[in-house]
Amino acid sequence: PSASSLAKPVPRPFFVVDLANPGHLTSCLNHFKLMIGATDDNWDAAFCQNWSAPDMVDCILSYAATKIVKLLLSDADAIRKIKADSSGKAARQTLLLAYMYAQVEGTSLEAIRRKLTSSPSPIASSRTARWVKRNPLATILILSAAVAEAAVVSAPDEARMVRDVVVSELSRVPILKRYPKISAGVAGAVAVSSFLYSELSHASRCQSRAQALCENVRIVPYRSEIEKVVEQAFPMSEPVDSIRTMYIGNSAHQKLELLAGLLEVLGFEDVCVFGDCFDEVVPLDPAVFPGAIKTFAKEVCRNDLLNVGRLHFFFPDTRIALDLNTDKVLKEARFDRHFVRDIVWSRHQLQDLAERRFRAAQIMAMQSENARELAKSNTPMRSFKELFEKVRTEDLSSCLSKIHTPRELMIMMTEVIMRMEQHTGDDEFAIAGPDLELAVQRAFEQAV
């Protein structure tokens, strides 16, 4: 290799968030329904009233956090990159994202917490200091006991002399001299009560802080374990609003920017979000909830969200049908700055797509278990047009002109292949005009 090629930096990968991943959005929306107290009967109206762009971004963060947790569990180098951040911000942000958004089992989160909070992590270094500051009385008692034990071991004579002096001085107090056991019991009870009160009060404050931090997250369940994470990672003097602003974000744009910063520490170039098949998500089914998919699309089309870049959302209808051409949406989305358009497929594009898909299907068939039999028969690959030998050219063009999306084309071709399979072994059978018309009609009926 040349010197110039060696000097060329290796491009970093993009972190892909796939909102079309089966089950992810359905899980998020089902918990959102539970949080707003909606039912199947009023879901459409309740969703339109309560859904917002931050909720949409929370769905993105949930997918990203789940993927980051799996990455950290499988890649020790990723853990090293997080702990290499001397400020500790990357570790704190990772823990918060994991416990607030990740849809994984608790054992995985606990494993991540142990890895990120073990020495020499910046988080672990200040934990003991905060406990000492929070429990001064317990610290004094522990240190006194440790010093006394060390004195007894190292200098028993001097320790015995000090003990006699202390006992002599305490015996001068009348109540201690008269009731030594009761006095010792009262002192011990006060010390224990003080310790318990301090611990319970601290636990209550940690719970309140954790709940306040997660109060706006409505797409995943609240985990009580996050209370321990907040207590371990942040001092009590740090306000919840400050933690949210610095590590999670408030607005949609801020949340995605902070996520991109964490991914950069992990070695990624940036975050890239893909969303498709929204109409296949049960809570967004346009046939059952016609308003939900429109509200969902409107909250995506916001300037602060689209400003992030590398967001690719594909919706199943036109901008007009989704009510995205109203003055309010146009003002909030700023379509003059962002590339948002209707995808229109021409007849020639769809025919070329069908030709390539049909050829690819035949190649996959030749690579299957029956490859040897197909190779022996020397069956040539058929073209897309050869399927419609008995269909007039103008009729084929007319039918394909009625198809407008790849989904409709897929349904039409499925009907055509099923019709052919019903006549397997009949060499004289071929798709005729009525068969093609019926396939197009089925595409219209089944496509949303």
Side-chain angles (χ1 to χ4, degrees):
S2 62
S4 59
S5 63
L6 291 175
K8 186 177 181 180
V10 178
R12 296 191 297 177
F14 284 90
F15 186 90
V16 177
V17 174
D18 182 15
L19 293 181
N21 187 57
H24 175 69
L25 271 181
T26 301
S27 173
C28 294
L29 293 177
N30 283 339
H31 191 266
F32 179 80
K33 179 193 295 186
L34 182 66
M35 290 295 293
I36 64 176
T39 63
D40 290 339
D41 296 332
N42 66 352
W43 166 246
D44 201 33
F47 181 84
C48 296
Q49 183 178 358
N50 292 277
W51 186 255
S52 63
D55 294 314
M56 176 69 236
V57 178
D58 283 346
C59 293
I60 297 174
L61 292 182
S62 177
Y63 184 95
T66 303
K67 192 172 179 179
I68 289 173
V69 168
K70 294 178 180 179
L71 173 65
L72 294 177
L73 289 175
S74 60
D75 187 0
D77 188 55
I79 292 286
R80 181 190 60 77
K81 292 177 181 178
I82 293 292
K83 297 179 73 170
D85 180 17
S86 58
S87 66
K89 180 178 180 180
R92 297 186 187 96
Q93 186 179 0
T94 301
L95 288 174
L96 286 181
L97 282 174
Y99 277 86
M100 290 176 64
Y101 292 103
Q103 299 188 38
V104 296
E105 62 277 5
T107 54
S108 299
L109 295 177
E110 183 63 20
I112 294 298
R113 189 181 69 85
R114 287 197 302 267
K115 290 181 179 181
L116 293 182
T117 57
S118 61
S119 297
S121 170
I123 295 179
S125 60
S126 58
R127 185 182 182 187
T128 303
R130 288 201 299 272
W131 190 92
V132 169
K133 185 178 180 180
R134 190 176 73 248
N135 300 283
L137 181 58
T139 302
I140 292 173
L141 292 176
I142 293 173
L143 291 177
S144 300
V147 170
E149 185 67 22
V152 170
V153 174
S154 60
D157 295 336
E158 289 79 356
R160 190 180 304 107
M161 183 179 63
V162 171
R163 184 194 63 185
D164 294 340
V165 171
V166 171
V167 171
S168 175
E169 291 297 325
L170 291 177
S171 62
R172 294 183 179 183
V173 181
I175 191 171
L176 295 180
K177 183 178 181 180
R178 188 174 303 176
Y179 308 104
K181 294 184 178 180
I182 296 178
S183 301
V186 170
V190 170
V192 172
S193 299
S194 175
F195 176 76
L196 291 177
Y197 175 78
S198 175
E199 288 297 313
L200 292 175
S201 177
H202 178 72
S204 177
R205 291 198 301 271
C206 288
Q207 183 181 28
S208 300
R209 297 177 78 210
Q211 291 176 348
L213 186 65
C214 302
E215 64 179 353
N216 295 325
V217 180
R218 303 187 288 181
I219 53 94
V220 289
Y222 172 79
R223 293 179 182 270
S224 59
E225 296 88 348
I226 195 174
E227 299 164 13
K228 184 187 296 184
V229 174
V230 174
E231 184 272 334
Q232 188 174 359
F234 304 98
M236 297 299 295
S237 59
E238 188 163 2
V240 173
D241 292 338
S242 175
I243 298 174
R244 186 187 298 112
T245 302
M246 291 293 296
Y247 296 91
I248 300 298
N250 295 301
S251 65
H253 184 273
Q254 189 179 24
K255 287 181 177 181
L256 291 178
E257 285 291 326
L258 288 172
L259 174 62
L262 176 61
L263 294 174
E264 186 176 354
V265 174
L266 285 169
F268 293 94
E269 180 70 25
D270 202 352
V271 61
C272 188
V273 182
F274 286 92
D276 197 3
C277 306
F278 295 118
D279 54 323
E280 298 178 11
V281 179
V282 175
L284 298 178
D285 187 354
V288 183
F289 311 110
I293 189 70
K294 295 180 180 180
T295 300
F296 190 86
K298 290 177 184 177
E299 294 303 323
V300 169
C301 297
R302 289 185 174 273
N303 185 47
D304 60 339
L305 182 58
L306 297 177
N307 266 336
V308 176
R310 294 191 175 88
L311 302 179
H312 309 276
F313 294 94
F314 300 90
F315 286 94
D317 219 325
T318 63
R319 282 169 54 177
I320 295 178
L322 292 171
D323 293 341
L324 298 181
N325 271 1
T326 62
D327 293 339
K328 181 180 179 181
V329 174
L330 292 175
K331 182 179 179 180
E332 293 176 346
R334 292 297 304 273
F335 287 150
D336 58 318
R337 297 177 56 187
H338 307 294
F339 187 67
V340 180
R341 65 182 177 88
D342 293 332
I343 299 178
V344 180
W345 292 77
S346 68
R347 175 178 65 84
H348 300 289
Q349 290 175 320
L350 290 174
Q351 186 169 341
D352 180 64
L353 175 62
E355 181 74 50
R356 289 186 282 111
R357 291 292 296 270
F358 187 60
R359 181 175 293 273
Q362 295 178 79
I363 294 175
M364 291 180 64
M366 292 180 179
Q367 296 173 349
S368 64
E369 297 179 356
N370 300 324
R372 294 180 180 179
E373 298 179 5
L374 292 172
K376 291 179 181 179
S377 63
N378 294 323
T379 304
M381 286 196 298
R382 303 179 65 183
S383 66
F384 176 72
K385 289 184 178 181
E386 290 176 358
L387 296 176
F388 309 102
E389 291 176 344
K390 292 187 178 181
V391 180
R392 294 188 305 170
T393 304
E394 54 269 25
D395 291 341
L396 177 61
S397 299
S398 175
C399 288
L400 290 178
S401 298
K402 298 176 183 178
I403 301 295
H404 302 291
T405 65
R407 175 177 297 181
E408 294 174 346
L409 175 67
M410 180 185 67
I411 297 173
M412 185 200 79
M413 287 302 301
T414 301
E415 292 292 329
V416 169
I417 298 300
M418 289 175 59
R419 181 70 172 167
M420 294 176 63
E421 289 178 345
Q422 292 174 359
H423 294 80
T424 302
D426 186 358
D427 297 335
E428 297 182 358
F429 175 79
I431 297 296
D435 299 318
L436 187 58
E437 287 286 350
L438 179 61
V440 172
Q441 183 63 31
R442 291 288 176 84
F444 289 155
E445 292 174 356
Q446 298 181 28
V448 179

